[in-house]
Amino acid sequence: MENGPPVFDKPKVELHVHLDGSIKPETILQIGKKRKIGLPADTVEGLLQQVSYNEPLCLTEFLAKFSLYMPAIAGDREAVKRIAYEFVEMKAKEGVIYVEVRYSPHLLANCKVNPIPWGQKKGDLTPDEVVNLVNQGLKAGEEAFNIKARSILCCMRHMPSWSPEVVELCKKYRNDSVVAIDLAGDELINAETYSEHRRAYEEAERCGIHRTVHAGEAGPPQVIKEAIHILKAERIGHGYHVLEDDSLYKQLLKQNMHFEVCPWSSYLTGACKNSFADHPVVRFMKDGANYSLNTDDPLIFNSTIHTDYKIAKDSMGFTEQEFQRVNINAAKSSFLPEQEKKELLSKLYSAYGILKSTEF
Ligand SMILES: [Zn+2]
């Protein structure tokens, strides 16, 4: 999608990107072939034509994209480890030096998960082992490509029965790549009604597990309120529709709440229907809000982090200085322990030529 050199070719931090939406098409084809699982095409171009898109689709059509290729990946040990490793490689090439990648362990499993996703036959890969394999892939990637990668485990709004295990996995693997819990899926499914989500988040808070929630992407400001007050979210995934509630927006600005913004994604999912010049992140920028720029699902949006930065520069008026501020805020709002956060920040300050005394 992008042409020419990257608009911000400096170290970056990415906080909102889905592992299952960031798989290399070559890998899908190879694993599909190995496992004899049918795919909609047998070339990279053919697969991308089916899986990715560049004009807005509705949520159902967007979600249908995953079911085109996830049957090839889910339930396969080699595939799960490999996509994590290749994800780190992909991000290193984009100049990302710290990334938090998220996924639902249940959606990659084929055992001890009900229902078994993607029409798979029952196998022997459990959600617990999925997390273990992803951790191994991330760690191997960190060593090979010299960047830092951590993970966030997702609860799915339509599957409250999975949430108790998600928080237990966060606890089990908290010293091993996993830094937080997330809630993803259709926002119109109210989390308050499903006490399993709420209880999982309460347990996360009790145990000091960090919390982010997809809220206000397509849904109304009420979903953001619920994320903050009921689920005790420390960051908001997307959050664009906060602008429809002025007092909530002012309160979150004051609290320095972090919004994980995904510009190209927000266009393609129809979350933001205005032109890029009138995108909520333009307001966030003008108001000095705390937010980051992220890809969300680069396979499906046929994008890289440079796509989002290019949109921000060309269509939203972002400056080099704002890109620096965005990444510094992302580092400050990352779910790393304080000492590691300081180390990450000092890497950014030195790469940007900023003296700490003049930091944003
Ligand atoms: Zn997302």
Side-chain angles (χ1 to χ4, degrees), residues 83-343:
I83 62 171
Y85 177 83
E86 290 178 347
F87 172 83
V88 179
E89 178 181 30
M90 185 192 305
K91 287 298 151 188
K93 279 189 188 151
E94 293 174 11
V96 173
I97 60 165
Y98 174 66
V99 62
E100 288 174 8
V101 62
R102 62 187 73 197
Y103 63 100
S104 157
H106 295 81
L107 288 178
L108 285 163
N110 62 7
C111 174
K112 291 197 180 164
V113 52
N114 183 24
I116 297 176
W118 318 112
Q120 301 174 89
K121 286 199 214 87
K122 188 175 185 304
D124 60 0
L125 182 55
T126 62
D128 188 323
E129 199 188 342
V130 165
V131 178
N132 200 318
L133 289 163
V134 170
N135 291 347
Q136 288 177 37
L138 294 178
K139 264 183 264 171
E142 285 186 301
E143 279 167 31
F145 306 109
N146 192 32
I147 77 171
K148 192 176 271 215
R150 295 291 179 268
S151 63
I152 298 175
L153 303 185
C154 301
C155 302
M156 300 304 298
R157 283 191 190 261
H158 68 294
M159 290 306 308
S161 62
W162 294 350
S163 291
E165 189 179 16
V166 175
V167 70
E168 288 309 313
L169 292 172
C170 289
K171 285 157 66 179
K172 179 170 176 182
Y173 292 105
R174 65 184 304 175
N175 295 317
D176 187 10
S177 295
V178 178
V179 289
I181 192 167
D182 177 37
L183 177 59
D186 188 349
E187 280 183 62
L188 301 177
I189 303 172
N190 182 305
E192 205 173 354
T193 349
Y194 294 97
S195 54
E196 287 101 327
H197 295 318
R198 199 191 63 226
R199 279 202 298 269
Y201 270 74
E202 280 167 3
E203 178 66 0
E205 190 197 16
R206 192 184 70 81
C207 300
I209 305 286
H210 289 295
R211 301 161 305 281
T212 180
V213 174
H214 281 72
E217 178 184 12
Q222 185 54 35
V223 184
I224 302 174
K225 278 190 186 161
E226 181 189 85
I228 290 161
H229 299 304
I230 311 280
L231 302 176
K232 305 284 170 8
E234 299 161 274
R235 297 195 320 230
I236 295 296
H238 304 279
Y240 316 120
H241 293 270
V242 70
L243 296 182
E244 288 158 25
D245 182 332
D246 205 46
S247 74
L248 177 65
Y249 179 54
K250 288 203 175 108
Q251 180 204 326
L252 294 184
L253 277 181
K254 214 157 122 194
Q255 272 176 244
N256 201 33
M257 175 59 69
H258 184 87
F259 297 96
E260 305 159 355
V261 173
C262 312
W264 182 227
S265 157
S266 73
Y267 169 71
L268 288 181
T269 59
C272 296
K273 295 193 167 57
N274 295 343
S275 69
F276 284 127
D278 292 320
H279 192 280
V281 75
V282 175
R283 174 88 189 272
F284 293 173
M285 169 179 63
K286 288 183 179 150
D287 293 341
N290 176 9
Y291 65 92
S292 50
L293 293 174
N294 308 277
T295 53
D296 211 5
D297 296 290
L299 164 64
I300 297 181
F301 305 139
N302 196 13
S303 66
T304 70
I305 193 97
H306 303 308
T307 313
D308 291 280
Y309 277 71
K310 186 166 166 54
I311 291 169
K313 181 165 190 252
D314 293 352
S315 311
M316 296 170 166
F318 274 60
T319 61
E320 175 87 5
Q321 194 189 24
E322 183 65 7
F323 286 138
Q324 293 180 4
R325 194 185 76 90
V326 162
N327 281 282
I328 287 162
N329 276 332
K332 285 180 178 169
S333 302
S334 73
F335 290 144
L336 284 172
E338 284 310 312
Q339 187 51 38
E340 290 180 61
K341 209 184 266 193
K342 272 190 196 142
E343 288 161 17

